[in-house]
């Protein structure tokens, strides 16, 4: 039982961080604070993903020692590009000596970090435009102004219909 | 995992929690943005502990550097403080977050243990990349090889996304004529009001 909890405590802590980010996004009326909450949520998801790729006793996925050698004496793989059937045997002959963590989540998260910054930039540009048009970045004030404008338009339409 | 690594884990997670909770309490946007940068930097440190050195590098440069600069710029163009929130409004989001967290934690019961080398995520494609990378590309850094060689088209797509985001920002904020005219209009009205 203790073993079970210790093995998953990291996941639970990350879920806690995720929920803190979600709470900031929900609760705050200020749009920049909301975006900060969103990026905290996002970073927590990255942490979760990277945790799943961790291998016990492993090191960073950069080949070293005897794994990195044999570079010059490598099998000429490029000469026969059509032989996909031999690839399994090929992989077996190149068994690794050291233990490495899983590189695939790292690659996916690298892409996600950069895309996350791109979306953050678009979000911030929208906030700046909202500030230009409404003079406020508090979402409840912006909503109140929108409702005020809609009410005024309704009243105008009513006056036109009755006259 | 040995004791030292566990202690570093616990310390970093505790710091992440402190920073995140401090962001909830803050109203000064400058402090919030700076704490968000600190959060990114702490998570970058944790990525190093979890063997993801390339991710840590990117998170420190892009997450803690560029995002913080972007948010500071947006803050300067908008306002410096957030309005104080009413306490009653915080209850519903809190309940939603607790509920979502409980459901997610229930889902982790099925997940493989931390560091399990035989888990589905670690034993198929990732292991294949590690075994083949030397013969296929000759690049010792597997993350670089996968990013630029095996999944090069993914990276091309990512570049397209960044380009689209850049175009969107330019269209929203406007450069050249529109932004200049807006600025001179503002200057004129300011002079008139004086």
């Amino acid at each position: 039982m203790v073993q079970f909890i210790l093995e998953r405590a990291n996941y639970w802590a990350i879920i806690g961080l995720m929920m803190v980010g979600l709470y900031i996004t929900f609760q705050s009326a200020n749009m920049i604070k909301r975006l900060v909450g969103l990026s905290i949520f996002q970073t927590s998801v990255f942490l979760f993903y990277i945790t799943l790729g961790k291998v016990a006793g492993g090191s960073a996925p950069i080949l070293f020692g005897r794994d990195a050698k044999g570079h010059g004496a490598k099998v000429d793989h490029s000469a026969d590009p059509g032989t996909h059937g031999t690839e399994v045997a090929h992989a077996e002959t190149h068994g690794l000596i050291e233990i490495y963590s899983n590189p695939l989540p790292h690659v996916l998260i690298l892409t996600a970090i950069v895309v996350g910054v791109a979306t953050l930039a678009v979000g911030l540009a929208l906030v700046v435009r909202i500030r230009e048009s409404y003079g406020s970045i508090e979402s409840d004030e912006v909503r109140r102004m929108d409702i005020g404008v809609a009410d005024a338009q309704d009243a105008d339409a009513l006056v036109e219909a009755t006259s | 995992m040995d004791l030292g690594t566990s202690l570093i884990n616990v310390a970093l997670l505790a710091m992440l929690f402190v920073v995140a909770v401090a962001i909830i309490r803050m109203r000064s946007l400058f402090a919030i943005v700076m704490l968000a940068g600190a959060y990114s930097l702490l998570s970058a440190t944790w990525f190093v502990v979890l063997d993801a050195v390339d991710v840590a590098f990117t998170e420190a440069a892009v997450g803690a550097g560029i995002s913080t600069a972007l948010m500071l710029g947006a803050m300067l163009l908008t306002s410096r403080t957030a309005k104080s929130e009413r306490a009653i409004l915080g209850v519903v989001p809190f309940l939603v977050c607790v509920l979502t967290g409980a459901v997610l934690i229930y889902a982790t019961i099925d997940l493989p243990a931390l560091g399990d080398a035989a888990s589905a995520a670690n034993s198929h494609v990732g292991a294949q990349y590690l075994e083949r990378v030397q013969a296929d590309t000759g690049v010792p850094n597997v993350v670089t090889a996968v990013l630029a060689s095996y999944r090069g088209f993914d990276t091309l797509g990512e570049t397209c996304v960044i380009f689209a985001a850049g175009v969107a920002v330019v269209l929203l904020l406007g450069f050249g004529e529109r932004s200049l005219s807006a600025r001179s209009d503002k200057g004129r009205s300011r002079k008139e009001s004086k």
Side-chain angles (χ1 to χ4, degrees):
Chain A
M1 186 65 197
V2 177
Q3 175 78 9
F4 182 84
I5 290 173
L6 281 179
E7 281 170 343
R8 282 160 186 80
N10 269 9
Y11 301 146
W12 297 343
I14 292 168
I15 287 170
L17 288 172
M18 238 184 251
M19 288 308 116
V20 171
L22 194 64
Y23 179 73
I24 296 172
T25 315
F26 276 160
Q27 171 251 13
S28 173
N30 186 286
M31 290 172 185
I32 290 189
K33 198 174 170 186
R34 265 190 186 180
L35 284 173
V36 168
L38 212 57
S39 65
I40 285 181
F41 186 86
Q42 199 178 26
T43 312
S44 312
V45 174
F46 298 162
L47 286 171
F48 184 69
Y49 232 94
I50 297 294
T51 329
L52 283 180
K54 167 83 183 163
V55 172
S59 68
I62 300 172
L63 303 182
F64 67 99
R66 274 192 287 162
D67 289 336
K69 279 172 195 154
H71 186 177
K74 70 175 178 182
V75 196
D76 198 359
H77 195 64
S78 55
D80 47 355
T83 55
H84 281 285
T86 60
E87 273 174 0
V88 179
H90 174 81
E92 275 167 6
T93 55
H94 280 249
L96 294 167
I97 301 142
E98 313 285 346
I99 305 171
Y100 300 98
S101 286
N102 188 357
L104 197 53
H106 301 184
V107 178
L108 299 179
I109 295 310
L110 272 184
T111 311
I113 288 174
V114 178
V115 170
V117 168
T119 49
L120 178 74
V122 176
L124 288 172
L126 279 169
V127 171
V128 170
R129 279 292 292 134
I130 288 170
R131 159 81 180 183
E132 265 181 47
S133 306
Y134 288 85
S136 166
I137 55 166
E138 306 286 336
S139 58
D140 51 345
E141 284 175 12
V142 169
R143 198 178 307 127
R144 208 175 302 131
M145 276 180 236
D146 274 347
I147 291 172
V149 169
D151 281 349
Q153 280 171 347
D154 282 355
D156 285 352
L158 206 67
V159 168
E160 267 177 35
T162 49
S163 62
Chain B
M1 205 177 280
D2 55 21
L3 187 68
T5 325
S6 309
L7 281 179
I8 293 174
N9 259 347
V10 171
L12 283 174
L13 276 173
M15 284 200 271
L16 283 170
F17 261 107
V18 169
V19 170
V21 171
I23 291 176
I24 297 183
R25 313 280 306 167
M26 290 275 178
R27 280 187 52 212
S28 157
L29 280 183
F30 181 74
I32 289 174
V33 169
M34 278 321 187
L35 281 177
Y39 187 91
S40 268
L41 210 59
L42 283 172
S43 57
T45 318
W46 208 36
F47 285 142
V48 177
V49 178
L50 292 171
D51 297 341
V53 281
D54 302 78
V55 181
F57 201 70
T58 315
E59 178 69 33
V62 177
I66 297 177
S67 320
T68 309
L70 282 174
M71 286 203 263
L72 279 179
M75 192 198 76
L76 285 176
L77 287 172
T78 53
S79 74
R80 307 289 169 91
T81 48
K83 226 176 45 178
S84 61
E85 278 104 15
R86 278 163 294 171
I88 315 151
L89 282 177
V91 176
V92 177
F94 183 76
L95 287 178
V96 170
C97 290
V98 168
L99 199 71
T100 319
V103 171
L104 285 176
I105 286 175
Y106 174 69
T108 58
I109 293 173
D110 278 347
L111 279 179
L114 178 70
D116 185 2
S119 72
N122 292 341
S123 54
H124 298 290
V125 189
Q128 285 287 310
Y129 281 137
L130 278 169
E131 283 168 7
R132 289 194 196 172
V133 71
Q134 193 59 255
D136 279 351
T137 63
V139 179
N141 188 338
V142 188
V143 175
T144 310
V146 176
L147 189 79
S149 175
Y150 291 107
R151 288 177 179 244
F153 280 111
D154 269 15
T155 310
L156 183 68
E158 175 197 348
T159 317
C160 292
V161 170
I162 296 163
F163 177 72
V167 170
V169 170
V170 169
L171 288 176
L172 278 168
L173 293 184
F175 277 104
E177 211 171 291
R178 194 190 143 264
S179 59
L180 274 179
S181 67
R183 206 170 292 154
S184 62
D185 275 347
K186 253 181 215 162
R188 214 176 296 145
S189 61
R190 231 174 255 158
K191 267 177 209 158
E192 279 164 9
S193 65
K194 273 175 194 167

